Amino acid sequence: MSALRLVALAPLALAGSVLAANCPTLESRHPEGRGQKPAFEGQTRACATKSDVAFEVTVVAKGLEHPWAVEPLPNGDLLVTERPGRMRIVSASGQVGEPLANLPQVQARGQGGLLDVALSPTFGSDRTVYWAFTEPREGGNATSVARGVLSRDSKSLEQVRVIFQALPAYDGTHHFGSRLAFGPDGMLYVTTGDRSDRVMRPHAQRMDGHMGKTLRITPEGKPAPGNPFTGQAGAKPEIWSLGHRNIQAAAFDAQGRYWTVEHGARGGDELNLVEKGKNYGWPLQTFGIEYSGAAIEGSQTDRAGMERPVYYWDPVIAPAGAQFHSGTGFPAWKGNLFVGALREKRLVRLTIEGNRVTGEEHLLADRGKRVRDVREGRDGSLYLVTDESSGEVWRISPKR
């Protein structure tokens, strides 16, 4: 067990950000999107912040193959998914269990595989678990959601059934999205990606499919009542919002607002406050450029009728996993949003006031691990998984 204290990184020069001169930031590199400007102050490169919080990082478990999600159980154990297609229980003391039996077939190719996992809001009485995965289909694959009941001996999933299949299927290996989050309304919110390839990008703006969207479904997998496009000709009734590239982080805050963090291209990772029926722009509105260095054809950074991101990173952090902290474990972090970073190999902490980011702090950068997910346990500790061939589960808890 190692004890660490948070420290701010050294003040850095602004590099294209619209912020006051007395506001040091954590980023000094030139943006990938040369000449692109934020739409408002603080939309990118927020002030560097620090909190005088002492904490301990405990490596709970090792040897997991590309773990994708961690979900704390009421008894202190953890459900962990591994992208190749296994779901395990890791005990509070760090014992790694055998894979749970009865999962449906998973296609683990590229970024696809067994992805997110979430507990039913009534797990204490029904022991129901939901998970997202890449499902092999005729003509390719796509993101699906399944549910099952965790057996009393915690060795298998029972009454397993696939409750939702995103359309269309496509023979690809990227941008499956797929964070799950239950809202305060009891509905299940699901994120999808645009499938990456240029031929598929337009689907993020099309209403006849689920790609590049957030979706809102009932716990049984049906379109949720009150969805914005129900009854609209040619529109999928599960759609909640559109115009997303690849959302791999989503969380509700204490006010019940739905926030997502999505991967941009080369520049332009976005934090969005997602609202019913709104269009978040991709691929017509975005920051950043193509991986090739070319401009993103037909795109602008600000377009009428589309929602601006609350915040963006350029260069990118490659976000994965998000959690608002309740303040139970760390009162100084109450209401802060924690986001895993794959490319930058750290945990990002954002302070948010209203609907604006007011500060950013980077944690655990010295460990050099791709942080894939972050969740809060009932004790207020934060649990992380690292995306490595021999991945780990970490617990961040107050220093004793």
Side-chain angles (χ1 to χ4, degrees):
M1 181 180 297
S2 59
L4 302 174
R5 182 174 293 274
L6 297 185
V7 293
L9 301 183
L12 301 173
L14 291 181
S17 177
V18 182
L19 289 174
N22 63 350
C23 174
T25 70
L26 297 176
E27 182 61 79
S28 62
R29 295 170 293 180
H30 285 290
E32 301 281 6
R34 299 295 179 94
Q36 296 178 353
K37 301 295 183 183
F40 53 84
E41 184 175 324
Q43 193 184 22
T44 191
R45 305 191 183 205
C47 297
T49 58
K50 64 177 180 179
S51 54
D52 188 22
V53 174
F55 65 89
E56 296 175 335
V57 178
T58 303
V59 178
V60 177
K62 298 181 178 182
L64 296 159
E65 187 177 359
H66 292 288
W68 210 92
V70 56
E71 178 75 317
L73 292 164
N75 66 355
D77 293 343
L78 306 165
L79 269 179
V80 177
T81 62
E82 293 173 288
R83 186 160 47 81
R86 297 178 292 272
M87 188 186 304
R88 303 178 188 267
I89 292 180
V90 176
S91 73
S93 61
Q95 182 178 358
V96 178
E98 292 297 316
L100 299 179
N102 299 332
L103 267 71
Q105 184 180 0
V106 171
Q107 188 175 98
R109 292 174 56 206
Q111 297 173 357
L114 182 57
L115 305 172
D116 205 11
V117 61
L119 301 183
S120 161
T122 53
F123 178 84
S125 59
D126 60 29
R127 296 180 65 82
T128 300
V129 177
Y130 293 78
W131 62 96
F133 66 104
T134 305
E135 184 181 40
R137 309 261 190 87
E138 183 178 353
N141 53 50
T143 300
S144 293
V145 179
R147 60 178 280 177
V149 176
L150 183 63
S151 64
R152 288 295 170 182
D153 62 6
S154 296
K155 293 183 178 180
S156 65
L157 291 159
E158 302 170 340
Q159 304 172 45
V160 170
R161 59 189 181 94
V162 175
I163 64 168
F164 174 75
Q165 296 174 306
L167 296 171
Y170 176 69
D171 189 13
T173 61
H174 290 78
H175 292 197
F176 296 95
S178 213
R179 284 293 171 189
L180 306 178
F182 277 96
D185 56 3
M187 299 297 108
L188 180 59
Y189 292 72
V190 182
T191 73
T192 65
D194 69 345
R195 302 309 308 273
S196 182
D197 294 348
R198 291 197 188 192
V199 67
M200 291 297 290
R201 281 184 187 176
H203 283 263
Q205 291 292 324
R206 288 173 54 169
M207 304 301 293
D208 61 348
H210 300 110
M211 301 306 159
K213 312 294 194 302
T214 69
L215 312 169
R216 179 173 173 264
I217 60 177
T218 69
E220 292 73 38
K222 303 298 183 183
N227 279 357
F229 304 106
T230 300
Q232 179 175 314
K236 293 295 185 186
E238 297 88 358
I239 296 174
W240 186 251
S241 67
L242 64 149
H244 301 284
R245 185 172 181 269
N246 188 25
I247 302 174
Q248 292 190 9
F252 284 88
D253 66 15
Q255 291 75 49
R257 299 182 299 176
Y258 184 43
W259 298 76
T260 65
V261 196
E262 68 183 81
H263 287 253
R266 195 170 143 189
D269 287 348
E270 292 183 2
L271 170 67
N272 285 300
L273 177 54
V274 174
E275 297 179 314
K276 177 179 181 179
K278 293 191 175 179
N279 187 335
Y280 292 82
W282 178 257
L284 304 176
Q285 175 187 274
T286 187
F287 288 91
I289 57 177
E290 299 281 8
Y291 293 121
S292 67
I296 297 173
E297 185 178 358
S299 180
Q300 303 173 9
T301 59
D302 197 10
R303 188 183 288 271
M306 296 182 176
E307 300 303 305
R308 297 167 171 172
V310 170
Y311 195 66
Y312 72 92
W313 291 268
D314 184 0
V316 299
I317 62 169
Q323 176 71 66
F324 283 95
H325 188 53
S326 69
T328 301
F330 300 94
W333 289 346
K334 184 175 183 178
N336 292 176
L337 177 63
F338 289 85
V339 181
L342 297 168
R343 178 179 174 179
E344 293 300 289
K345 299 182 178 180
R346 61 197 61 193
L347 181 65
V348 175
R349 181 180 70 89
L350 299 178
T351 56
I352 297 175
E353 297 179 12
N355 60 353
R356 291 287 183 266
V357 172
T358 57
E360 180 171 359
E361 182 170 29
H362 292 179
L363 313 173
L364 309 180
D366 59 313
R367 294 187 168 236
K369 299 290 187 180
R370 289 163 52 89
V371 177
R372 172 61 76 177
D373 195 18
V374 53
R375 305 280 177 95
E376 183 177 337
R378 291 199 171 189
D379 62 353
S381 296
L382 293 175
Y383 292 88
L384 284 65
V385 289
T386 65
D387 180 28
E388 314 284 345
S389 58
S390 182
E392 300 178 345
V393 180
W394 298 347
R395 180 174 62 244
I396 300 176
S397 54
K399 184 180 179 182
R400 292 192 289 266

